[in-house]
Amino acid sequence: MRFQITGMGILLLFYGCYIAKAARQRGRGIRTDQTGKGKTGSAKAIELTMKAAAYMALAAEAVSIALNTGSFPIAVRIAGAFIGVVGTAVFIVSVLTMQDSWRAGVPKTEETKLVTGGIYQLSRNPAFLGFDLVYIGIAVMFFNWVLLLASIFAAAMLHLQIVNVEERFLAEAFGEEYLKYSGKVRRYLGRKR
């Protein structure tokens, strides 16, 4: 039962942050969800598949938590809980740091600014890192093959979103400023020398 409460707490904080931020932005006239909007071809397909994969992973997580499917030793499950909590914290900090520039998907029609301070000095994509850590943490806490495959697929789609859609958009929108930034900070974690 402790792991179920922890797992649900992780998901509620993680997705609660997402929903609260989207509601706040909507109140300010900002459309947070830009997934697939204004795009064509592979960019649209990647973003829509990523969104579906994220929903699929969330469903697998919720069912796994409800059924308490974990079979790993307690110490391993505790490690999974720690990873999930860290992922949630990373996500929340990244969303707060982005302020009103934060979007789900690449905004083709709305102006944003390039955020390079705070947690973005350590990761170009801390929100995606947060997603990945939550996927890993929940999968370790409540391991089953469906959850593992859903989590891997969602993480892979997030990566494709970064590499094939987001990085191209940022290079076009911010040019040399983004290229200098990407030359200093790694995609997921760490600074370059």
Side-chain angles (χ1 to χ4, degrees):
M1 187 68 152
R2 291 177 300 197
F3 289 111
Q4 289 173 298
I5 292 169
T6 302
M8 286 308 296
I10 289 168
L11 293 186
L12 287 173
L13 282 172
F14 187 92
Y15 291 102
C17 171
Y18 184 100
I19 292 166
K21 181 69 170 192
R24 182 178 177 276
Q25 285 185 312
R26 185 176 28 246
R28 298 179 65 159
I30 299 169
R31 291 184 338 162
T32 303
D33 186 0
Q34 299 289 323
T35 312
K37 294 182 171 99
K39 294 158 201 102
T40 59
S42 65
K44 184 172 187 161
I46 288 169
E47 283 197 349
L48 293 177
T49 304
M50 175 198 67
K51 188 174 189 175
Y55 282 126
M56 182 177 64
L58 175 58
E61 288 169 336
V63 169
S64 298
I65 291 168
L67 298 176
N68 199 16
T69 59
S71 59
F72 288 143
I74 289 178
V76 174
R77 293 183 81 186
I78 290 170
F82 178 76
I83 292 167
V85 167
V86 169
T88 299
V90 166
F91 180 78
I92 291 170
V93 169
S94 70
V95 169
L96 293 174
T97 303
M98 283 285 279
Q99 299 178 3
D100 282 338
S101 291
W102 181 70
R103 302 290 188 281
V106 172
K108 289 287 189 181
T109 58
E110 294 186 25
E111 278 191 38
T112 62
K113 65 178 186 169
L114 182 64
V115 176
T116 60
I119 196 169
Y120 289 85
Q121 294 174 353
L122 302 173
S123 171
R124 291 196 322 257
N125 299 285
F128 290 104
L129 177 62
F131 264 100
D132 289 345
L133 291 172
V134 168
Y135 290 148
I136 292 166
I138 297 293
V140 169
M141 288 173 67
F142 301 97
F143 180 82
N144 65 73
W145 289 105
V146 172
L147 175 59
L148 179 65
L149 293 174
S151 299
I152 289 171
F153 182 59
M157 290 311 303
L158 289 172
H159 180 73
L160 288 177
Q161 158 71 8
I162 292 168
V163 173
N164 294 315
V165 181
E166 190 165 301
E167 288 179 353
R168 290 179 185 172
F169 166 77
L170 291 170
E172 289 174 17
F174 299 104
E176 189 64 28
E177 182 184 7
Y178 175 73
L179 294 176
K180 283 182 184 178
Y181 171 62
S182 65
K184 293 179 190 173
V185 180
R186 296 188 188 282
R187 183 176 285 139
Y188 291 107
L189 188 61
R191 295 186 60 85
K192 297 178 182 178
R193 294 181 186 251

